[in-house]
PDB file of all heavy atoms in Angstrom:
ATOM      1  N   LEU A  91      -9.122  -6.650  -6.570  1.00  0.00           N
ATOM      2  CA  LEU A  91      -8.923  -7.870  -5.785  1.00  0.00           C
ATOM      3  C   LEU A  91      -9.504  -7.730  -4.389  1.00  0.00           C
ATOM      4  O   LEU A  91      -9.419  -6.645  -3.790  1.00  0.00           O
ATOM      5  CB  LEU A  91      -7.428  -8.137  -5.614  1.00  0.00           C
ATOM      6  CG  LEU A  91      -6.544  -8.245  -6.845  1.00  0.00           C
ATOM      7  CD1 LEU A  91      -5.081  -8.308  -6.420  1.00  0.00           C
ATOM      8  CD2 LEU A  91      -6.904  -9.489  -7.627  1.00  0.00           C
ATOM      9  N   PHE A 104      -0.293 -11.876   6.357  1.00  0.00           N
ATOM     10  CA  PHE A 104      -1.667 -11.405   6.211  1.00  0.00           C
ATOM     11  C   PHE A 104      -2.052 -11.264   4.731  1.00  0.00           C
ATOM     12  O   PHE A 104      -1.379 -10.581   3.973  1.00  0.00           O
ATOM     13  CB  PHE A 104      -1.846 -10.084   6.968  1.00  0.00           C
ATOM     14  CG  PHE A 104      -3.261  -9.577   6.969  1.00  0.00           C
ATOM     15  CD1 PHE A 104      -4.323 -10.409   7.289  1.00  0.00           C
ATOM     16  CD2 PHE A 104      -3.537  -8.257   6.658  1.00  0.00           C
ATOM     17  CE1 PHE A 104      -5.628  -9.952   7.294  1.00  0.00           C
ATOM     18  CE2 PHE A 104      -4.838  -7.783   6.662  1.00  0.00           C
ATOM     19  CZ  PHE A 104      -5.885  -8.632   6.974  1.00  0.00           C
ATOM     20  N   VAL A 105      -3.120 -11.940   4.361  1.00  0.00           N
ATOM     21  CA  VAL A 105      -3.660 -11.981   2.981  1.00  0.00           C
ATOM     22  C   VAL A 105      -2.577 -12.139   1.898  1.00  0.00           C
ATOM     23  O   VAL A 105      -2.657 -11.563   0.820  1.00  0.00           O
ATOM     24  CB  VAL A 105      -4.599 -10.776   2.655  1.00  0.00           C
ATOM     25  CG1 VAL A 105      -5.847 -10.814   3.509  1.00  0.00           C
ATOM     26  CG2 VAL A 105      -3.900  -9.430   2.810  1.00  0.00           C
ATOM     27  N   ASP A 106      -1.577 -12.971   2.192  1.00  0.00           N
ATOM     28  CA  ASP A 106      -0.484 -13.182   1.241  1.00  0.00           C
ATOM     29  C   ASP A 106      -0.973 -13.658  -0.130  1.00  0.00           C
ATOM     30  O   ASP A 106      -0.416 -13.267  -1.164  1.00  0.00           O
ATOM     31  CB  ASP A 106       0.488 -14.243   1.785  1.00  0.00           C
ATOM     32  CG  ASP A 106       1.612 -13.620   2.606  1.00  0.00           C
ATOM     33  OD1 ASP A 106       1.618 -12.387   2.770  1.00  0.00           O
ATOM     34  OD2 ASP A 106       2.479 -14.380   3.077  1.00  0.00           O
ATOM     35  N   MET A 108      -3.585 -12.944  -1.772  1.00  0.00           N
ATOM     36  CA  MET A 108      -4.046 -11.818  -2.600  1.00  0.00           C
ATOM     37  C   MET A 108      -2.828 -11.157  -3.259  1.00  0.00           C
ATOM     38  O   MET A 108      -2.886 -10.730  -4.424  1.00  0.00           O
ATOM     39  CB  MET A 108      -4.835 -10.810  -1.755  1.00  0.00           C
ATOM     40  CG  MET A 108      -5.315  -9.619  -2.556  1.00  0.00           C
ATOM     41  SD  MET A 108      -6.501  -8.597  -1.671  1.00  0.00           S
ATOM     42  CE  MET A 108      -5.429  -7.666  -0.580  1.00  0.00           C
ATOM     43  N   GLY A 109      -1.723 -11.104  -2.541  1.00  0.00           N
ATOM     44  CA  GLY A 109      -0.493 -10.527  -3.084  1.00  0.00           C
ATOM     45  C   GLY A 109       0.076 -11.370  -4.216  1.00  0.00           C
ATOM     46  O   GLY A 109       0.530 -10.837  -5.226  1.00  0.00           O
ATOM     47  N   LEU A 122      -4.424  -2.869 -11.964  1.00  0.00           N
ATOM     48  CA  LEU A 122      -5.066  -3.083 -10.667  1.00  0.00           C
ATOM     49  C   LEU A 122      -5.720  -1.801 -10.183  1.00  0.00           C
ATOM     50  O   LEU A 122      -5.112  -0.733 -10.205  1.00  0.00           O
ATOM     51  CB  LEU A 122      -4.028  -3.502  -9.620  1.00  0.00           C
ATOM     52  CG  LEU A 122      -3.560  -4.948  -9.561  1.00  0.00           C
ATOM     53  CD1 LEU A 122      -2.748  -5.180  -8.295  1.00  0.00           C
ATOM     54  CD2 LEU A 122      -4.721  -5.932  -9.619  1.00  0.00           C
ATOM     55  N   VAL A 123      -6.966  -1.909  -9.750  1.00  0.00           N
ATOM     56  CA  VAL A 123      -7.655  -0.768  -9.143  1.00  0.00           C
ATOM     57  C   VAL A 123      -8.143  -1.197  -7.756  1.00  0.00           C
ATOM     58  O   VAL A 123      -8.173  -2.385  -7.435  1.00  0.00           O
ATOM     59  CB  VAL A 123      -8.847  -0.282 -10.002  1.00  0.00           C
ATOM     60  CG1 VAL A 123      -8.355   0.219 -11.341  1.00  0.00           C
ATOM     61  CG2 VAL A 123      -9.892  -1.384 -10.183  1.00  0.00           C
ATOM     62  N   GLY A 124      -8.518  -0.215  -6.942  1.00  0.00           N
ATOM     63  CA  GLY A 124      -9.079  -0.543  -5.632  1.00  0.00           C
ATOM     64  C   GLY A 124      -8.028  -0.901  -4.595  1.00  0.00           C
ATOM     65  O   GLY A 124      -8.246  -1.777  -3.765  1.00  0.00           O
ATOM     66  N   THR A 125      -6.877  -0.220  -4.654  1.00  0.00           N
ATOM     67  CA  THR A 125      -5.901  -0.419  -3.587  1.00  0.00           C
ATOM     68  C   THR A 125      -6.446   0.209  -2.297  1.00  0.00           C
ATOM     69  O   THR A 125      -7.295   1.099  -2.341  1.00  0.00           O
ATOM     70  CB  THR A 125      -4.528   0.203  -3.943  1.00  0.00           C
ATOM     71  OG1 THR A 125      -4.706   1.594  -4.168  1.00  0.00           O
ATOM     72  CG2 THR A 125      -3.954  -0.454  -5.200  1.00  0.00           C
ATOM     73  N   VAL A 126      -5.950  -0.296  -1.171  1.00  0.00           N
ATOM     74  CA  VAL A 126      -6.532   0.101   0.124  1.00  0.00           C
ATOM     75  C   VAL A 126      -5.421   0.548   1.074  1.00  0.00           C
ATOM     76  O   VAL A 126      -4.374  -0.102   1.184  1.00  0.00           O
ATOM     77  CB  VAL A 126      -7.333  -1.086   0.719  1.00  0.00           C
ATOM     78  CG1 VAL A 126      -7.720  -0.820   2.167  1.00  0.00           C
ATOM     79  CG2 VAL A 126      -8.585  -1.357  -0.116  1.00  0.00           C
ATOM     80  N   ASP A 127      -5.669   1.649   1.758  1.00  0.00           N
ATOM     81  CA  ASP A 127      -4.715   2.227   2.713  1.00  0.00           C
ATOM     82  C   ASP A 127      -4.380   1.218   3.819  1.00  0.00           C
ATOM     83  O   ASP A 127      -5.260   0.744   4.518  1.00  0.00           O
ATOM     84  CB  ASP A 127      -5.375   3.472   3.320  1.00  0.00           C
ATOM     85  CG  ASP A 127      -4.399   4.293   4.148  1.00  0.00           C
ATOM     86  OD1 ASP A 127      -3.344   3.735   4.534  1.00  0.00           O
ATOM     87  OD2 ASP A 127      -4.705   5.464   4.395  1.00  0.00           O
ATOM     88  N   LYS A 128      -3.108   0.925   3.967  1.00  0.00           N
ATOM     89  CA  LYS A 128      -2.724  -0.113   4.941  1.00  0.00           C
ATOM     90  C   LYS A 128      -2.846   0.380   6.383  1.00  0.00           C
ATOM     91  O   LYS A 128      -2.846  -0.419   7.324  1.00  0.00           O
ATOM     92  CB  LYS A 128      -1.317  -0.620   4.660  1.00  0.00           C
ATOM     93  CG  LYS A 128      -0.223   0.349   4.984  1.00  0.00           C
ATOM     94  CD  LYS A 128       1.135  -0.325   4.917  1.00  0.00           C
ATOM     95  CE  LYS A 128       2.185   0.671   5.389  1.00  0.00           C
ATOM     96  NZ  LYS A 128       3.501   0.121   5.499  1.00  0.00           N
ATOM     97  N   SER A 129      -2.959   1.683   6.569  1.00  0.00           N
ATOM     98  CA  SER A 129      -3.005   2.198   7.943  1.00  0.00           C
ATOM     99  C   SER A 129      -4.305   1.826   8.666  1.00  0.00           C
ATOM    100  O   SER A 129      -4.422   1.991   9.870  1.00  0.00           O
ATOM    101  CB  SER A 129      -2.797   3.712   7.952  1.00  0.00           C
ATOM    102  OG  SER A 129      -3.880   4.335   7.314  1.00  0.00           O
ATOM    103  N   ASN A 130      -5.274   1.303   7.931  1.00  0.00           N
ATOM    104  CA  ASN A 130      -6.517   0.860   8.571  1.00  0.00           C
ATOM    105  C   ASN A 130      -6.434  -0.575   9.090  1.00  0.00           C
ATOM    106  O   ASN A 130      -7.439  -1.129   9.536  1.00  0.00           O
ATOM    107  CB  ASN A 130      -7.683   0.958   7.585  1.00  0.00           C
ATOM    108  CG  ASN A 130      -7.955   2.391   7.188  1.00  0.00           C
ATOM    109  OD1 ASN A 130      -7.767   3.296   7.986  1.00  0.00           O
ATOM    110  ND2 ASN A 130      -8.350   2.600   5.941  1.00  0.00           N
ATOM    111  N   TYR A 131      -5.252  -1.188   8.983  1.00  0.00           N
ATOM    112  CA  TYR A 131      -5.089  -2.592   9.386  1.00  0.00           C
ATOM    113  C   TYR A 131      -3.876  -2.750  10.291  1.00  0.00           C
ATOM    114  O   TYR A 131      -2.891  -2.027  10.137  1.00  0.00           O
ATOM    115  CB  TYR A 131      -4.884  -3.480   8.146  1.00  0.00           C
ATOM    116  CG  TYR A 131      -6.080  -3.527   7.234  1.00  0.00           C
ATOM    117  CD1 TYR A 131      -6.306  -2.515   6.300  1.00  0.00           C
ATOM    118  CD2 TYR A 131      -6.997  -4.569   7.307  1.00  0.00           C
ATOM    119  CE1 TYR A 131      -7.407  -2.540   5.455  1.00  0.00           C
ATOM    120  CE2 TYR A 131      -8.105  -4.611   6.466  1.00  0.00           C
ATOM    121  CZ  TYR A 131      -8.297  -3.587   5.545  1.00  0.00           C
ATOM    122  OH  TYR A 131      -9.393  -3.623   4.710  1.00  0.00           O
ATOM    123  N   GLU A 132      -3.974  -3.720  11.210  1.00  0.00           N
ATOM    124  CA  GLU A 132      -2.821  -4.075  12.037  1.00  0.00           C
ATOM    125  C   GLU A 132      -2.284  -5.420  11.574  1.00  0.00           C
ATOM    126  O   GLU A 132      -3.023  -6.405  11.539  1.00  0.00           O
ATOM    127  CB  GLU A 132      -3.233  -4.189  13.500  1.00  0.00           C
ATOM    128  CG  GLU A 132      -3.366  -2.846  14.175  1.00  0.00           C
ATOM    129  CD  GLU A 132      -3.902  -2.987  15.587  1.00  0.00           C
ATOM    130  OE1 GLU A 132      -3.671  -4.041  16.220  1.00  0.00           O
ATOM    131  OE2 GLU A 132      -4.560  -2.051  16.031  1.00  0.00           O
ATOM    132  N   PHE A 133      -1.014  -5.454  11.206  1.00  0.00           N
ATOM    133  CA  PHE A 133      -0.381  -6.707  10.760  1.00  0.00           C
ATOM    134  C   PHE A 133       1.118  -6.448  10.738  1.00  0.00           C
ATOM    135  O   PHE A 133       1.559  -5.296  10.836  1.00  0.00           O
ATOM    136  CB  PHE A 133      -0.887  -7.097   9.362  1.00  0.00           C
ATOM    137  CG  PHE A 133      -0.494  -6.110   8.300  1.00  0.00           C
ATOM    138  CD1 PHE A 133       0.549  -6.383   7.434  1.00  0.00           C
ATOM    139  CD2 PHE A 133      -1.130  -4.884   8.190  1.00  0.00           C
ATOM    140  CE1 PHE A 133       0.944  -5.465   6.471  1.00  0.00           C
ATOM    141  CE2 PHE A 133      -0.740  -3.949   7.238  1.00  0.00           C
ATOM    142  CZ  PHE A 133       0.297  -4.249   6.381  1.00  0.00           C
ATOM    143  N   HIS A 135       3.407  -8.277   8.357  1.00  0.00           N
ATOM    144  CA  HIS A 135       3.936  -8.378   6.994  1.00  0.00           C
ATOM    145  C   HIS A 135       2.865  -8.932   6.074  1.00  0.00           C
ATOM    146  O   HIS A 135       2.037  -9.738   6.489  1.00  0.00           O
ATOM    147  CB  HIS A 135       5.178  -9.279   6.971  1.00  0.00           C
ATOM    148  CG  HIS A 135       5.865  -9.273   5.653  1.00  0.00           C
ATOM    149  ND1 HIS A 135       5.640 -10.251   4.710  1.00  0.00           N
ATOM    150  CD2 HIS A 135       6.738  -8.404   5.111  1.00  0.00           C
ATOM    151  CE1 HIS A 135       6.368  -9.966   3.626  1.00  0.00           C
ATOM    152  NE2 HIS A 135       7.044  -8.858   3.848  1.00  0.00           N
ATOM    153  N   SER A 136       2.911  -8.521   4.810  1.00  0.00           N
ATOM    154  CA  SER A 136       1.979  -9.055   3.829  1.00  0.00           C
ATOM    155  C   SER A 136       2.593  -8.960   2.443  1.00  0.00           C
ATOM    156  O   SER A 136       3.165  -7.924   2.085  1.00  0.00           O
ATOM    157  CB  SER A 136       0.668  -8.263   3.851  1.00  0.00           C
ATOM    158  OG  SER A 136      -0.148  -8.681   2.776  1.00  0.00           O
ATOM    159  N   LYS A 137       2.453 -10.026   1.677  1.00  0.00           N
ATOM    160  CA  LYS A 137       2.899  -9.994   0.270  1.00  0.00           C
ATOM    161  C   LYS A 137       1.989  -9.129  -0.580  1.00  0.00           C
ATOM    162  O   LYS A 137       2.259  -8.910  -1.751  1.00  0.00           O
ATOM    163  CB  LYS A 137       2.896 -11.419  -0.309  1.00  0.00           C
ATOM    164  CG  LYS A 137       4.015 -12.299   0.172  1.00  0.00           C
ATOM    165  CD  LYS A 137       3.977 -13.621  -0.591  1.00  0.00           C
ATOM    166  CE  LYS A 137       5.026 -14.584  -0.057  1.00  0.00           C
ATOM    167  NZ  LYS A 137       4.819 -15.952  -0.594  1.00  0.00           N
ATOM    168  N   ALA A 138       0.867  -8.710  -0.011  1.00  0.00           N
ATOM    169  CA  ALA A 138      -0.120  -7.955  -0.791  1.00  0.00           C
ATOM    170  C   ALA A 138       0.111  -6.443  -0.754  1.00  0.00           C
ATOM    171  O   ALA A 138      -0.713  -5.681  -1.242  1.00  0.00           O
ATOM    172  CB  ALA A 138      -1.533  -8.277  -0.292  1.00  0.00           C
ATOM    173  N   ILE A 139       1.263  -6.023  -0.206  1.00  0.00           N
ATOM    174  CA  ILE A 139       1.548  -4.586  -0.164  1.00  0.00           C
ATOM    175  C   ILE A 139       2.279  -4.156  -1.431  1.00  0.00           C
ATOM    176  O   ILE A 139       3.238  -4.795  -1.863  1.00  0.00           O
ATOM    177  CB  ILE A 139       2.417  -4.239   1.072  1.00  0.00           C
ATOM    178  CG1 ILE A 139       1.661  -4.530   2.373  1.00  0.00           C
ATOM    179  CG2 ILE A 139       2.861  -2.773   1.032  1.00  0.00           C
ATOM    180  CD1 ILE A 139       0.487  -3.623   2.659  1.00  0.00           C
ATOM    181  N   ILE A 140       1.792  -3.080  -2.020  1.00  0.00           N
ATOM    182  CA  ILE A 140       2.470  -2.485  -3.177  1.00  0.00           C
ATOM    183  C   ILE A 140       2.421  -0.971  -3.013  1.00  0.00           C
ATOM    184  O   ILE A 140       1.367  -0.426  -2.652  1.00  0.00           O
ATOM    185  CB  ILE A 140       1.811  -2.945  -4.502  1.00  0.00           C
ATOM    186  CG1 ILE A 140       2.606  -2.481  -5.694  1.00  0.00           C
ATOM    187  CG2 ILE A 140       0.366  -2.499  -4.615  1.00  0.00           C
ATOM    188  CD1 ILE A 140       2.216  -3.176  -6.993  1.00  0.00           C
ATOM    189  N   ASN A 141       3.562  -0.309  -3.199  1.00  0.00           N
ATOM    190  CA  ASN A 141       3.632   1.142  -3.000  1.00  0.00           C
ATOM    191  C   ASN A 141       2.968   1.566  -1.681  1.00  0.00           C
ATOM    192  O   ASN A 141       2.202   2.532  -1.635  1.00  0.00           O
ATOM    193  CB  ASN A 141       2.971   1.906  -4.154  1.00  0.00           C
ATOM    194  CG  ASN A 141       3.622   1.599  -5.474  1.00  0.00           C
ATOM    195  OD1 ASN A 141       4.814   1.291  -5.520  1.00  0.00           O
ATOM    196  ND2 ASN A 141       2.850   1.637  -6.545  1.00  0.00           N
ATOM    197  N   ASN A 142       3.232   0.803  -0.633  1.00  0.00           N
ATOM    198  CA  ASN A 142       2.740   1.138   0.702  1.00  0.00           C
ATOM    199  C   ASN A 142       1.238   0.968   0.930  1.00  0.00           C
ATOM    200  O   ASN A 142       0.723   1.385   1.967  1.00  0.00           O
ATOM    201  CB  ASN A 142       3.141   2.586   1.045  1.00  0.00           C
ATOM    202  CG  ASN A 142       3.924   2.632   2.325  1.00  0.00           C
ATOM    203  OD1 ASN A 142       4.312   1.585   2.859  1.00  0.00           O
ATOM    204  ND2 ASN A 142       4.136   3.822   2.841  1.00  0.00           N
ATOM    205  N   ASN A 143       0.545   0.392  -0.046  1.00  0.00           N
ATOM    206  CA  ASN A 143      -0.884   0.107   0.121  1.00  0.00           C
ATOM    207  C   ASN A 143      -1.165  -1.366  -0.147  1.00  0.00           C
ATOM    208  O   ASN A 143      -0.354  -2.038  -0.785  1.00  0.00           O
ATOM    209  CB  ASN A 143      -1.726   0.913  -0.880  1.00  0.00           C
ATOM    210  CG  ASN A 143      -1.796   2.373  -0.511  1.00  0.00           C
ATOM    211  OD1 ASN A 143      -1.909   2.711   0.656  1.00  0.00           O
ATOM    212  ND2 ASN A 143      -1.722   3.227  -1.511  1.00  0.00           N
ATOM    213  N   PHE A 144      -2.333  -1.831   0.290  1.00  0.00           N
ATOM    214  CA  PHE A 144      -2.749  -3.173  -0.112  1.00  0.00           C
ATOM    215  C   PHE A 144      -3.178  -3.148  -1.578  1.00  0.00           C
ATOM    216  O   PHE A 144      -3.846  -2.219  -2.028  1.00  0.00           O
ATOM    217  CB  PHE A 144      -3.913  -3.660   0.755  1.00  0.00           C
ATOM    218  CG  PHE A 144      -3.489  -4.169   2.103  1.00  0.00           C
ATOM    219  CD1 PHE A 144      -3.716  -3.424   3.248  1.00  0.00           C
ATOM    220  CD2 PHE A 144      -2.856  -5.402   2.226  1.00  0.00           C
ATOM    221  CE1 PHE A 144      -3.324  -3.889   4.496  1.00  0.00           C
ATOM    222  CE2 PHE A 144      -2.457  -5.878   3.468  1.00  0.00           C
ATOM    223  CZ  PHE A 144      -2.686  -5.117   4.611  1.00  0.00           C
ATOM    224  N   MET A 145      -2.827  -4.221  -2.306  1.00  0.00           N
ATOM    225  CA  MET A 145      -3.184  -4.332  -3.727  1.00  0.00           C
ATOM    226  C   MET A 145      -4.687  -4.397  -3.943  1.00  0.00           C
ATOM    227  O   MET A 145      -5.173  -4.182  -5.044  1.00  0.00           O
ATOM    228  CB  MET A 145      -2.600  -5.613  -4.314  1.00  0.00           C
ATOM    229  CG  MET A 145      -1.127  -5.584  -4.500  1.00  0.00           C
ATOM    230  SD  MET A 145      -0.653  -7.176  -5.228  1.00  0.00           S
ATOM    231  CE  MET A 145       1.099  -7.113  -4.922  1.00  0.00           C
ATOM    232  N   GLY A 146      -5.400  -4.822  -2.905  1.00  0.00           N
ATOM    233  CA  GLY A 146      -6.853  -4.937  -2.998  1.00  0.00           C
ATOM    234  C   GLY A 146      -7.442  -4.823  -1.602  1.00  0.00           C
ATOM    235  O   GLY A 146      -6.784  -4.300  -0.701  1.00  0.00           O
ATOM    236  N   LEU A 147      -8.639  -5.319  -1.453  1.00  0.00           N
ATOM    237  CA  LEU A 147      -9.346  -5.163  -0.178  1.00  0.00           C
ATOM    238  C   LEU A 147      -9.118  -6.370   0.734  1.00  0.00           C
ATOM    239  O   LEU A 147      -9.608  -7.467   0.448  1.00  0.00           O
ATOM    240  CB  LEU A 147     -10.852  -5.023  -0.462  1.00  0.00           C
ATOM    241  CG  LEU A 147     -11.756  -5.006   0.771  1.00  0.00           C
ATOM    242  CD1 LEU A 147     -11.544  -3.728   1.583  1.00  0.00           C
ATOM    243  CD2 LEU A 147     -13.226  -5.147   0.359  1.00  0.00           C
ATOM    244  N   PRO A 148      -8.397  -6.187   1.851  1.00  0.00           N
ATOM    245  CA  PRO A 148      -8.274  -7.272   2.824  1.00  0.00           C
ATOM    246  C   PRO A 148      -9.513  -7.314   3.728  1.00  0.00           C
ATOM    247  O   PRO A 148      -9.990  -6.265   4.179  1.00  0.00           O
ATOM    248  CB  PRO A 148      -7.050  -6.871   3.668  1.00  0.00           C
ATOM    249  CG  PRO A 148      -6.436  -5.705   2.977  1.00  0.00           C
ATOM    250  CD  PRO A 148      -7.534  -5.051   2.211  1.00  0.00           C
ATOM    251  N   TRP A 165     -14.781   0.441  -0.405  1.00  0.00           N
ATOM    252  CA  TRP A 165     -14.012  -0.082  -1.545  1.00  0.00           C
ATOM    253  C   TRP A 165     -14.830   0.000  -2.826  1.00  0.00           C
ATOM    254  O   TRP A 165     -14.337   0.430  -3.876  1.00  0.00           O
ATOM    255  CB  TRP A 165     -13.616  -1.519  -1.217  1.00  0.00           C
ATOM    256  CG  TRP A 165     -12.758  -2.221  -2.202  1.00  0.00           C
ATOM    257  CD1 TRP A 165     -11.461  -1.948  -2.520  1.00  0.00           C
ATOM    258  CD2 TRP A 165     -13.128  -3.383  -2.967  1.00  0.00           C
ATOM    259  NE1 TRP A 165     -11.000  -2.869  -3.431  1.00  0.00           N
ATOM    260  CE2 TRP A 165     -12.004  -3.769  -3.720  1.00  0.00           C
ATOM    261  CE3 TRP A 165     -14.290  -4.143  -3.071  1.00  0.00           C
ATOM    262  CZ2 TRP A 165     -12.009  -4.862  -4.578  1.00  0.00           C
ATOM    263  CZ3 TRP A 165     -14.291  -5.228  -3.916  1.00  0.00           C
ATOM    264  CH2 TRP A 165     -13.168  -5.581  -4.665  1.00  0.00           C
TER     265      TRP A 165
END
Side-chain angles (χ1 to χ4, degrees):
L91 304 172
F104 185 48
V105 295
D106 269 1
M108 179 169 78
L122 279 191
V123 297
T125 59
V126 169
D127 190 342
K128 71 170 186 174
S129 66
N130 295 327
Y131 295 82
E132 281 175 28
F133 65 103
H135 188 263
S136 172
K137 286 186 184 169
I139 296 291
I140 187 166
N141 301 331
N142 236 9
N143 287 320
F144 281 106
M145 288 181 196
L147 174 68
W165 183 68

